[in-house]
Amino acid sequence: EDQVTQSPEALRLQEGESSSLNCSYTVSGLRGLFWYRQDPGKGPEFLFTLYSAGEEKEKERLKATLTKKESFLHITAPKPEDSATYLCAVFDRGSTLGRLYFGRGTQLTVWP
Amino acid sequence: EADIYQTPRYLVIGTGKKITLECSQTMGHDKMYWYQQDPGMELHLIHYSYGVNSTEKGDLSSESTVSRIRTEHFPLTLESARPSHTSQYLCASSDRRLAEKETQYFGPGTRLLVL
């Protein structure tokens, strides 16, 4: 049973072409939603944590938003260096303390 | 930036060998985790620890063991490596005392190839 679904699986953008990545979740009680960036051959790098519907956080060209059923990672005017896999994870209130459930990620490619 | 280290970064080993993947963190975090990640797939939790002498199994733990004798150190051991163990292994840590609770910080990973 998938608890975290990310779409699209892959996204190709031209430099400067803004877009959004989606993360939908089905956990019963959300205690946190996390966005990570992962470059090939490396560990995930933490980007944002969102705790409640309506919350938004920004970092450079990235903006994360949260509703009761999904989160969006908006990328404004992306650059080639934004190319990476973006992972979403949720912390379920009903889960054992400390467990995150990850999606499969969206592989973003930004070409010049 | 998180200070969490994994060694080795790459390992090629024969079937049946015993291996230990090392993970250490210098942030004093109380919780530590091991994940397995295959290309294009989600991270799967193998083991986790709430603190010293506390370890729990995750989803894919049946063929590996962990120990947490010191806060900063959380090694993962495969008693008998098999080709099915070929994967990337990621270590992470978190701290409930931090403002952004449950945020996990990851190491660079160990890429394992079992021949």
Side-chain angles (χ1 to χ4, degrees), chain A residues 41-43, chain B residues 4-6 9 88-91 106-110:
Chain A
K42 296 186 178 181
Chain B
I4 183 165
Y5 308 97
Q6 292 185 241
R9 293 293 315 279
Q88 172 154 281
Y89 292 83
L90 293 164
C91 181
F106 285 82
T110 293

Side-chain angles (χ1 to χ4, degrees), chain A residues 51-66:
Chain A
Y51 290 105
S52 57
E55 189 174 359
E56 299 182 351
K57 288 190 177 175
E58 290 187 65
K59 180 180 180 180
E60 296 180 351
R61 296 177 292 281
L62 301 176
K63 179 180 178 180
T65 62
L66 181 64

Side-chain angles (χ1 to χ4, degrees), chain A residues 36 38 49 57 96 99, chain B residues 37 50 59 100-101 103-104:
Chain A
Y36 289 86
Q38 186 173 26
T49 306
K57 288 190 177 175
T96 304
R99 291 195 59 161
Chain B
Q37 184 184 33
Y50 298 150
D59 304 321
E100 291 195 321
K101 297 177 176 62
T103 297
Q104 296 183 14

Side-chain angles (χ1 to χ4, degrees), chain A residues 3 22-26 30 33 53 66-71:
Chain A
Q3 294 185 289
N22 177 262
C23 172
S24 61
Y25 57 91
T26 58
L30 183 71
L33 185 139
L66 181 64
T67 71
K68 288 186 178 180
K69 292 191 179 298
E70 59 190 349
S71 176

Side-chain angles (χ1 to χ4, degrees), chain A residues 2 31 34 36 38 40-44 46 49 51 57 87 91 96-104, chain B residues 9 31 33 35 37 40-43 45 48 50 59 88 90 96 100-104 106-108 111:
Chain A
D2 289 340
R31 288 182 63 176
F34 306 82
Y36 289 86
Q38 186 173 26
K42 296 186 178 181
F46 170 68
T49 306
Y51 290 105
K57 288 190 177 175
L87 302 174
F91 181 44
T96 304
L97 188 66
R99 291 195 59 161
L100 291 184
Y101 294 90
F102 282 83
R104 296 186 177 187
Chain B
R9 293 293 315 279
K31 297 184 192 177
Y33 315 82
Y35 290 91
Q37 184 184 33
M41 301 296 290
E42 59 267 63
L43 277 69
L45 184 66
Y48 56 104
Y50 298 150
D59 304 321
Q88 172 154 281
L90 293 164
R96 287 169 286 184
E100 291 195 321
K101 297 177 176 62
E102 310 305 341
T103 297
Q104 296 183 14
F106 285 82
R111 189 169 294 277

